[in-house]
Amino acid sequence: MVKKIILFQIILLVLWSCNQNEEYNTDKKVTISGRVLNFNPQKNNIDLHIFRICKEREIITTKLDSAGKFTFSFKSHFPIETEIVYKTELTVLTHPGDSIFVEFNGNQNYSEVLKTVKYSGSDAKLNSDIIAFKKMLFTNYNSLNTIDQSTATMQFGVSDFELYLDTMQLGFDNFIQEFIKEVSPGNEAIEWGKFYLKQNIYNALVNYAFRHQFEDKTKPAYFNIPVSFYNRFLDITPINYSTFLNSKDLPGFIDKYWHFYAFFNLLADESHKQKQTEQGFISSVKINDSIEFAGLIKYAPDELLRQLVFTEKISREFDALKIESFENNQEIISQIITEPYLNHLITDKYAYTKEKLDHPKIASDAILKRLVGSSVNTIMDSILYSNRGKVIYIDCWADYCGPCLAEMPNSKKLMKLMKGKDVSFVYVCLNSKEKQWKALLDRFQLGGQHYFLNKTQSDEWEKVFSITGVPYYFLIDKNGTIVENGSYLRPNVTEGKIERLLKE
């Protein structure tokens, strides 16, 4: 009965809105070429990071020729954001079919590079506007926040923190008006800038929710925060195809939108129906697939955003090697995700995940094969060789990563539970300062095996394993096969998985 209701909701939504955009109905070639002035001949590798919608970051590497010239080409279905990476990151916004030329000084730091970059060809005006935006932001960002965010997070109650967010938003609004006044940007550049700045609001909101959880250990943070607190996520809707130009930040927004706005509204609905007390709210409310799907439809009424939320949610489940929900609800999911690109993406990823579940050794070998010839091949070889015959749990972290550090006590607890068993705990520190790394190891008093990767090694490690953020984990069986990997493998969900591998 519930499934029939959901299908009826979907039909009404499809009739109400059309998801097709004739302008973006096929893949088209995008070419980004250019020249790096004053480059280092000993460092002639240059990367292009491609942030596709609902997919892992793709990295293309090429070499600069003797004149510092380079060319990248790829196919794109939608407008997307990319970054040229040579010493620093340089944003390039693209539309399908674009041919863009970029020139910049390769012997400068970020702020100086912004002063030297020049665009020509397709989207030259748009990308020049974005560079102007970033130059202005780099100069003025500190003045946009008169109150330190950590102070506001720790000391303000909900009402005062909402006023703090209002003040932050006012500063961003004023900045956008100055940007318009000084640069006369096009509409896409204005909308890109608004979305870019808005992520600071959402990050502050989410950090506030988590901090309350740590400050008040008697009950989950979310009891202290009214559901309406998360309504700010609606400010950025509706999502349209031009929003895909923010494809670097869009996945983070989708994730926060689902886990904070949609999910907590859904929990509130269900707790009200079940007439639960506040103290029993989280533990007693049971969310099955039908309730979750109905909630997503209700709290993601923006048609394109709803498809993105569903795609991201299912994709995350596949990353965690969970396919049951998709298999049991394919009819409903196909009615919701009607954008062909997203539908094919999910179908392809399901096939890949099922193959990985059916043949984990083949999938693991494919991953490890990418290590051959890389600067980090010997590191993984060392980890596998020194821990042969054992289950290996690898934690990739960084000194600047709050969630990484928050998991360290949980990792210590897991290590204690596994004491005396054939399990090795390995910690790989990425993109960090060696002095800070040592200080944190001393602070947490972590056992296990520790590896510190320099900048070059860190970049190579992330590239080989398609790691887009930390924390990130690997679970390897006693035969050296990577059975699972991803950000979801936190210590508190891994004990059972390790126990099962120990029995194999």
Side-chain angles (χ1 to χ4, degrees), residues 434-453:
E434 189 169 4
K435 186 176 180 180
Q436 183 70 1
W437 168 63
K438 291 178 179 177
L440 287 168
L441 291 185
D442 183 63
R443 171 184 163 189
F444 287 107
Q445 291 295 300
L446 281 171
Q449 304 161 28
H450 295 271
Y451 292 81
F452 178 84
L453 275 58

Side-chain angles (χ1 to χ4, degrees), residues 326-343:
F326 177 78
E327 290 179 334
N328 294 334
N329 297 279
Q330 287 193 57
E331 182 182 2
I332 292 173
I333 291 168
S334 65
Q335 292 284 344
I336 294 170
I337 304 176
T338 54
E339 167 59 56
Y341 170 86
L342 299 178
N343 198 293

Side-chain angles (χ1 to χ4, degrees), residues 99 123 177 332 392 428:
S99 179
D123 282 329
Q177 292 306 311
I332 292 173
I392 308 170
V428 178

